Amino acid sequence: MEDFFTEVAGGFLYGAVGIILLVVGFLLIDLLTPGKLGHQIIHDRNRSAGIIAAAGLIAVGGIVTTAIASADGSLGEGLAETAGYGGVGVLMLGLAFGVIDLITPGKLGDFVVGEGEQPAAWMTAAALLSVGAIVAAAIS
């Protein structure tokens, strides 16, 4: 029965690390886009902002899932690996956004959250998902 409680506690802790990384990922995307991302999604109903945020969260979720599944050693070591790989993944997503911004004309964040349907949002979402998959594969 003691193993059961240890495993439940471990599941809770891994889940907490994952949620924290999702929040950090969202905050990074918010930082990289003009205005408040949550306001644009909820109040302005900006579809492009929603696409970018969703892609970032899916990418972070994939990275964290792979990190948890690949974790070995003690609970503390596994949590540290998950947090470390997840942190690297979030940083890589920010880097991908920055690189796309450099190679496309204008300011990407302005286009992504602009009025109407923004093709740049789809391109950015694809890049975020691709980077998430690459980092997840690198972990496994």
Side-chain angles (χ1 to χ4, degrees):
M1 191 66 153
E2 191 173 312
D3 287 340
F4 170 75
F5 290 117
T6 302
E7 290 179 17
V8 168
F12 177 81
L13 292 171
Y14 277 111
V17 168
I19 290 169
I20 290 167
L21 288 167
L22 285 173
V23 169
V24 170
F26 182 85
L27 293 174
L28 177 65
I29 294 168
D30 187 22
L31 181 70
L32 295 171
T33 55
K36 296 302 288 174
L37 191 58
H39 182 81
Q40 290 178 43
I41 294 168
I42 302 300
H43 296 291
D44 297 342
R45 300 178 60 84
N46 184 319
R47 185 175 304 193
S48 296
I51 290 167
I52 297 301
L57 292 173
I58 292 168
V60 171
I63 292 166
V64 171
T65 300
T66 304
I68 291 170
S70 301
D72 53 5
S74 69
L75 176 60
E77 290 170 339
L79 290 169
E81 287 177 10
T82 299
Y85 286 127
V88 166
V90 169
L91 290 175
M92 295 301 290
L93 294 176
L95 179 64
F97 194 99
V99 168
I100 293 169
D101 191 18
L102 286 174
I103 64 174
T104 55
K107 186 77 177 131
L108 182 61
D110 293 336
F111 291 117
V112 167
V113 296
E115 293 293 320
E117 190 73 22
Q118 298 295 325
W122 291 103
M123 179 187 66
T124 305
L128 295 176
L129 292 171
S130 297
V131 169
I134 290 165
V135 172
I139 294 168
S140 63

